[in-house]
Amino acid sequence: MSDTKSPALRLNGPVLLQQLRELGEIGADPVAGGRTRVALTDDEKAGRDQLVAWMRELGLDVQIDRIGNIFGTLPCAPGARDAAGAMPRPLMMGSHIDTVINAGALDGCYGVLGGLAVARAFRDAGIVPSRPITVVAFTNEEGARFHPDMMGSLVHAGGLPLDEALDAIGTDGARLGDELVRIGYAGEMAPGTLVPHEYLELHIEQGPILEAEGLEIGVVENLQGISWQQITVQGNANHAGTTPTRLRHDAGYVAAATVAELRRIAVESGTTLATVGTMQLEPGVINVIPRKAVFTVDMRDPDEQRLTQSEARLADFLTKTAAQEGVRISTQRLARFEPVMFDAELTAAIEASAKRLGLSYKRMTSGAGHDAQMIARIAPAAMIFVPSRGGISHNPREHTDDAQLVRGAEVLLDVVARRLGAGQ
């Protein structure tokens, strides 16, 4: 066959878009907007159930591992062997279907359902792939309830012990392993059993670059390193009107000064991004100096050395400020991932498919974390981006035009077809 737009192997765009809409209705909030399917809640179970039903409609072999990752596999021909004479490992595609609170409909879900659309194209054409095609939905990518984020793919890649993940306690006090059992997704397969030959993840950009430059496809070359910390400042509560500034041990001031320092670090580094996403002051009374501040810090940089330098600068600031203000400061590491370079051959294949399909594109860095960065530890991996309107994500206003969603999935199909020798 000459290309993936021929009748023999064609993406069914209307079904992809309809499934995105249907999955987006699960957990929808008619008042606040968006939808909420936080990991291992009843709403996420409903989303999982729907995904498994769609996988089974395509005749995929559905397997669930002990961390709750869902795998749907389109088998290759019986007796197929790779060049070494072994059973061929799968070409894997996927992402996640859990969400943050009041999320958009596309983050993660597009990658899973785009992978399903590729499997559907093979089924509809009656083409048996030269190696298995596996579509995966990883558990707890967002980390909105259980830490760390990207947990399912991290466990799958061997970067986090299974028992430690199962014992994770959520923001609501629930144990992750117990919640998997409760919703019926505590599988029996050992994590990491299905090691991919290659891994591809289709995703919305979640940023403004492609739209701003009028481009259709992002060829993701690398992904930023991520550092998450929780910082606790312990000072002394006292009367806001009678305590002179020089005699204060103000946890609120130290927290605010740290926010300002993080902005200086980001600006002066040129590449580091720094965000304080949550902050809580105690006792939380207008006329009382805060005795305690607890806040989180998210730092990111595509360069490991610069990220390490920014972390060191923050640590030095906290040490000096604690001494100056007479407070105690402690830090807790929540997550730390080094920057990831994606596979050069796969990124070149994505670029070639975008060219072949006549789509405008650029090579780029992902600012967000994705399951692909975990799977890159054990297999060649790469990502495909499509534009996000206004660069908005993790928000009910998250949007990508239908035509852009279909074009991204067509690039994914073209790459898969040619990697499996079905696109020649």
Side-chain angles (χ1 to χ4, degrees):
M1 55 183 296
S2 59
D3 64 49
T4 60
K5 291 186 175 181
S6 71
L9 191 58
R10 181 174 60 87
L11 188 93
N12 192 326
V15 171
L16 168 61
L17 297 174
Q18 179 60 31
Q19 289 188 341
L20 283 167
R21 287 189 287 269
E22 290 183 21
L23 187 55
E25 287 301 312
I26 298 175
D29 187 333
V31 177
R35 70 275 310 135
T36 298
R37 288 193 310 274
V38 174
L40 311 188
T41 58
D42 290 344
D43 283 324
E44 208 236 351
K45 168 184 163 49
R48 286 168 169 262
D49 291 346
Q50 179 61 83
L51 173 62
V52 168
W54 284 331
M55 286 178 167
R56 288 182 171 146
E57 284 176 8
L58 285 176
L60 305 187
D61 176 23
V62 177
Q63 296 171 283
I64 300 166
D65 70 11
R66 293 182 61 197
I67 197 61
N69 296 325
I70 302 169
F71 302 87
T73 299
L74 178 67
C76 60
R81 293 290 186 271
D82 63 17
M87 289 289 294
R89 290 183 287 139
L91 190 155
M92 190 177 290
M93 299 166 286
S95 193
H96 63 98
I97 66 167
D98 68 309
T99 74
V100 296
I101 297 171
N102 299 130
L106 300 174
D107 177 9
C109 302
Y110 177 48
V112 177
L113 298 181
L116 213 58
V118 169
R120 182 177 302 107
F122 276 79
R123 277 293 194 210
D124 289 347
I127 296 175
V128 178
S130 58
R131 67 172 62 250
I133 294 175
T134 296
V135 181
V136 58
F138 289 111
T139 295
N140 188 44
E141 192 272 353
E142 293 291 3
R145 186 184 183 196
F146 300 98
H147 289 159
D149 59 342
M150 297 174 281
M151 181 185 284
S153 53
L154 182 60
V155 172
H156 182 80
L160 179 68
L162 173 63
D163 289 345
E164 183 176 333
L166 294 176
D167 284 337
I169 303 300
T171 55
D172 55 358
R175 178 179 174 273
L176 185 141
D178 295 337
E179 290 296 272
L180 279 171
V181 172
R182 184 184 68 81
I183 68 170
Y185 280 88
E188 297 182 357
M189 185 171 68
T193 297
L194 297 179
V195 178
H197 173 70
E198 293 175 329
Y199 176 83
L200 293 164
E201 185 164 345
L202 177 64
H203 213 281
I204 60 171
E205 181 191 349
Q206 299 182 281
I209 296 172
L210 292 176
E211 182 187 52
E213 298 185 15
L215 301 173
E216 296 166 295
I217 297 295
V219 181
V220 185
E221 293 186 295
N222 62 332
L223 192 146
Q224 294 191 111
I226 300 175
S227 170
W228 281 6
Q229 299 180 61
Q230 179 173 281
I231 299 175
T232 300
V233 183
Q234 188 69 56
N236 291 333
N238 216 329
H239 197 292
T242 63
T243 310
T245 299
R246 62 185 174 83
L247 298 179
R248 295 182 178 214
H249 306 286
D250 187 342
Y253 165 74
V254 173
T258 304
V259 174
E261 178 65 16
L262 284 165
R263 175 56 63 90
R264 283 189 288 271
I265 291 171
V267 171
E268 292 173 12
S269 76
T271 55
T272 297
L273 300 174
T275 304
V276 173
T278 69
M279 182 179 291
Q280 181 177 359
L281 302 180
E282 296 179 9
V285 179
I286 191 170
N287 59 348
V288 178
I289 298 167
R291 66 171 175 263
K292 185 177 182 180
V294 180
F295 56 99
T296 56
V297 174
D298 177 317
M299 303 178 78
R300 306 185 187 213
D301 199 295
D303 182 88
E304 173 63 19
Q305 183 177 356
R306 286 194 296 266
L307 181 57
T308 300
Q309 290 171 344
S310 294
E311 290 175 310
R313 180 169 166 179
L314 172 61
D316 184 60
F317 174 82
L318 293 174
T319 299
K320 291 178 179 178
T321 303
Q324 292 168 356
E325 299 299 321
V327 300
R328 297 191 307 277
I329 301 178
S330 61
T331 62
Q332 178 187 359
R333 175 75 70 196
L334 300 178
R336 181 58 163 88
F337 302 118
E338 293 187 1
V340 172
M341 291 296 300
F342 287 128
D343 183 74
E345 184 178 329
L346 276 181
T347 53
I350 294 168
E351 183 177 41
S353 287
K355 285 181 179 178
R356 194 160 33 245
L357 297 177
L359 302 175
S360 58
Y361 69 92
K362 74 173 296 179
R363 289 176 173 252
M364 61 189 302
T365 296
S366 172
H370 298 286
D371 290 311
Q373 75 188 80
M374 302 306 170
I375 304 308
R377 300 179 177 204
I378 59 173
M383 295 188 70
I384 303 165
F385 276 175
V386 295
S388 295
R389 180 182 293 175
I392 295 171
S393 186
H394 285 187
N395 185 303
R397 293 187 294 120
E398 176 183 274
H399 178 82
T400 300
D401 290 343
D402 286 354
Q404 294 171 327
L405 293 170
V406 171
R407 283 195 290 267
E410 286 175 341
V411 171
L412 178 65
L413 175 59
D414 191 72
V415 174
V416 171
R418 293 171 188 278
R419 302 303 287 176
L420 300 184
Q424 304 301 320

